[in-house]
Amino acid sequence: MRLSLVLIFVLLVGASLGIGVADLSSVDVDAGLLLAISRWPRTAAALLAGAGLALAGVVVQLTVQNRLVEPGLTGTPEAAMIGLLGITLFAPGAPILIKMAVAALAALAGTLGFLALARHVPRRDPVLLPLVGLVYGGILGAAALWGAWITDLMQYLGTWTAGEFSGVLRGRYELLWLVAGLGVLLWRAADRITILGLGEAQARSLGLDYRQTLVLGLGIVSLTVAVVVVTVGALPFVGLVVPNIVSRLRGDNLRANLGPIALSGGAAVLAADMVGRLVRFPYEIPAGTVFAVAGAGVFLWLLHAPRREGRAHG
């Protein structure tokens, strides 16, 4: 599976670099400059955003012990948008790193709010928790919408909710490389986060510092979501669909699955971006819209398809 996944990944990258309004073979086009300024940054942004959201999704699923939950169903992106609105209002000239930090803190607060709410949700029906998260995220989203409306920042809010890559150029996406560093941090903490997924009582009985590991995992999730929202906007369902598919194919060893999850998430978002570029060429449909349609269908399939036990990778 890993070899075929890498091959698909390479083919998608090559196809993405070749898709665009300008013909790279034309004598009137500086192909090297176009690739360096526009097409490679766009491709890299899609790969990094998809990989980061997929990894964030698996952390959230382990934290709440529910495979049908992802950052988009915990109010995390909406909370990040509220943070961005706040920093835009009170410090519009703040550097992008400051805005990202404020968005990450707001995202963490929103995620912790969901966890506090989740403690009171019965776990007999696994569908109930994501439904509660959907309502919770809707409330935070409505608050962000109201704040943008009364402050005349609807255009800003639109850029954070669109989830599209048409505006990505060299110099405007590099913040996403933080996702790679967060992925390394997640790999180092993979065993502790796996134990976190056993539940608080079992994790403490095994000697895990539950609270510290929980903050670490949710910190990675919040910072990843904030970086993606600040740079390209929200992308729904990535953190839900990709970890579930990989888990069905490979089992539940988090450390062994991190690479395939990251590759699959990046490939999925890049494929959605390519579809958005081609459906109404030379116009575009945002990748977030394409993935939302496809992800909704896969989500319904996950609800009804019987789960097969994957192979154990130890």
Side-chain angles (χ1 to χ4, degrees):
M1 173 190 171
R2 185 168 296 181
L3 182 60
S4 59
L5 180 58
V6 170
L7 179 60
I8 292 172
F9 186 87
V10 171
L11 291 174
L12 283 172
V13 170
S16 175
L17 295 176
I19 294 175
V21 176
D23 184 0
L24 293 178
S25 62
S26 173
V27 295
D28 299 325
V29 175
D30 187 337
L33 183 63
L34 180 62
L35 287 171
I37 290 180
S38 176
R39 295 196 185 175
W40 167 246
R42 179 171 187 158
T43 301
L47 294 175
L48 290 168
L53 291 176
L55 293 174
V58 73
V59 174
V60 169
Q61 289 168 13
L62 286 170
T63 301
V64 301
Q65 298 177 277
N66 190 312
R67 295 182 183 276
L68 300 179
V69 176
E70 62 130 7
L73 295 175
T74 62
T76 308
E78 290 82 2
M81 293 176 199
I82 291 175
L84 283 172
L85 281 174
I87 190 66
T88 302
L89 284 172
F90 294 104
I96 187 66
L97 287 177
I98 299 297
K99 291 182 178 180
M100 183 203 69
V102 172
L105 290 174
L108 179 59
T111 308
L112 290 174
F114 171 78
L115 288 182
L117 187 63
R119 291 180 177 271
H120 304 285
V121 178
R123 300 302 178 92
R124 294 186 299 272
D125 186 354
V127 180
L128 185 58
L129 187 59
L131 289 178
V132 170
L134 191 65
V135 173
Y136 175 72
I139 293 172
L140 293 182
L145 182 64
W146 176 78
W149 177 264
I150 63 173
T151 56
D152 198 24
L153 291 175
M154 288 295 293
Q155 186 174 1
Y156 282 97
L157 187 65
T159 62
W160 300 328
T161 59
E164 57 96 23
F165 299 89
S166 63
V168 172
L169 296 170
R170 186 173 64 187
R172 295 182 57 185
Y173 86 102
E174 283 78 4
L175 198 62
L176 281 170
W177 284 103
L178 284 172
V179 171
L182 293 171
V184 173
L185 180 60
L186 178 58
W187 183 82
R188 292 179 61 87
D191 294 333
R192 283 187 287 164
I193 293 176
T194 299
I195 297 173
L196 190 73
L198 298 175
E200 183 173 359
Q202 290 88 338
R204 291 187 184 278
S205 68
L206 292 172
L208 181 74
D209 188 329
Y210 182 83
R211 187 176 298 275
Q212 182 187 69
T213 307
L214 180 67
V215 171
L216 174 63
L218 294 183
I220 292 173
V221 170
S222 301
L223 187 54
T224 299
V225 171
V227 170
V228 173
V229 169
V230 167
T231 310
V232 298
L235 291 159
F237 289 114
V238 180
L240 171 68
V241 168
V242 175
N244 272 284
I245 291 177
V246 172
S247 176
R248 284 172 179 263
L249 294 174
R250 293 178 51 87
D252 295 323
N253 187 321
L254 177 61
R255 184 179 294 277
N257 285 350
L258 284 178
I261 287 173
L263 285 175
S264 300
V269 171
L270 181 59
D273 181 46
M274 290 167 59
V275 170
R277 282 185 262 172
L278 292 172
V279 168
R280 298 190 64 227
F281 187 86
Y283 304 103
E284 294 190 19
I285 298 174
T289 302
V290 175
F291 207 99
V293 174
V298 176
F299 179 63
L300 292 175
W301 171 73
L302 290 171
L303 289 177
H304 298 288
R307 176 176 173 81
R308 296 184 301 173
E309 292 300 325
R311 294 171 295 173
H313 289 256

